[in-house]
């Protein structure tokens, strides 16, 4: 069962990473940002959101199957608000929007929980302020890992070109061209 759970986690992580970069994943993110514009491009916002909901339900069903198989019992307490709250806290700690964020958040949450349980039986009093600090200070949880500069990928436009296009300038205009505003933090 242990190796089956690891295999499912690995496959799900790879599928989600590919899904996020797929055309449908990009349309889904665009639907979250500006549904009217996505609708103007000819995509049905309702269908896109429905497919995402179904995909989420499939992944949740697989994880529920693994949990029931592990415990050999399906308790109604699995549907309690505390279980849902723990799962949401794990996602927030890891960073929303990252594929590996929930995994990192789960590890951090469980390590802190076990560490605080060894100190006191009222471990939630210690865990609460830490979760609030993570939510307030690190808007993206521990997603600071993604802030490291990635090497340029062939075919990706540099930031100055994207900025120029968003300001109405020609796409390949140099930064100093008329009508091209510099990107925040860059010098013209």
């Amino acid at each position: 069962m242990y190796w089956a759970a690891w295999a499912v986690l690995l496959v799900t992580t790879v599928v989600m990473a590919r899904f996020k970069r797929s055309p449908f994943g990009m349309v889904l993110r665009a639907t979250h940002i500006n549904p009217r514009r996505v609708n103007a491009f000819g995509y049905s916002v309702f269908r896109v959101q429905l497919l995402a909901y179904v995909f989420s339900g499939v992944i949740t069903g697989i994880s529920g199957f693994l949990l029931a198989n592990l415990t050999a019992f399906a308790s109604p307490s699995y549907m309690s608000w505390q279980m849902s709250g723990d799962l949401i806290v794990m996602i927030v700690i890891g960073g929303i929007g990252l594929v590996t964020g929930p995994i990192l958040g789960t590890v951090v949450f469980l390590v802190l929980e076990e560490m605080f349980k060894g100190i006191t039986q009222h471990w939630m009093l210690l865990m609460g302020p830490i979760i609030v600090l993570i939510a307030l200070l690190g808007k993206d949880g521990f997603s600071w890992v993604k802030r490291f500069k990635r090497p340029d990928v062939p075919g990706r436009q540099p930031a100055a070109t994207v900025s120029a296009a968003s300001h109405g300038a020609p796409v390949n205009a140099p930064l100093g061209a008329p009508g091209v505003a510099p990107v925040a933090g860059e010098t013209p």
Side-chain angles (χ1 to χ4, degrees), residues 151-187:
D152 288 335
V153 177
R156 185 187 305 162
Q157 291 182 344
T161 306
V162 172
S163 174
S166 65
H167 290 294
V171 175
N172 291 328
L175 252 180
V180 179
V183 178
E186 287 186 7
T187 57

Side-chain angles (χ1 to χ4, degrees), residues 120-144:
T120 179
Q121 69 180 14
H122 303 292
W123 61 273
M124 290 184 193
L125 288 174
L126 299 173
M127 182 74 98
I130 291 176
I131 292 171
V132 169
L133 281 174
I134 289 172
L136 290 176
L137 298 177
K139 180 176 104 179
D140 295 328
F142 281 102
S143 65
W144 51 268

Side-chain angles (χ1 to χ4, degrees), residues 3 10 26-28 33 43-45 71 79 103 106 128 153 166 182:
W3 293 110
L10 179 66
M26 291 182 189
V27 169
L28 183 61
I33 295 168
Y43 293 101
S44 171
V45 172
T71 60
M79 294 187 297
I103 299 169
T106 302
V153 177
S166 65

Side-chain angles (χ1 to χ4, degrees), residues 67-142:
L67 180 63
N69 210 358
L70 174 70
T71 60
F73 182 69
S75 171
S77 67
Y78 293 154
M79 294 187 297
S80 71
W81 66 269
Q82 186 176 4
M83 178 69 80
S84 298
D86 286 348
L87 295 174
I88 290 171
V89 166
M90 290 175 190
I91 292 171
V92 168
I93 287 174
I96 297 173
L98 289 175
V99 174
T100 56
I103 299 169
L104 179 64
T106 302
V107 170
V108 169
F109 182 84
L110 293 176
V111 166
L112 285 175
E113 180 181 346
E114 290 302 317
M115 196 171 71
F116 292 150
K117 279 183 179 178
I119 296 171
T120 179
Q121 69 180 14
H122 303 292
W123 61 273
M124 290 184 193
L125 288 174
L126 299 173
M127 182 74 98
I130 291 176
I131 292 171
V132 169
L133 281 174
I134 289 172
L136 290 176
L137 298 177
K139 180 176 104 179
D140 295 328
F142 281 102

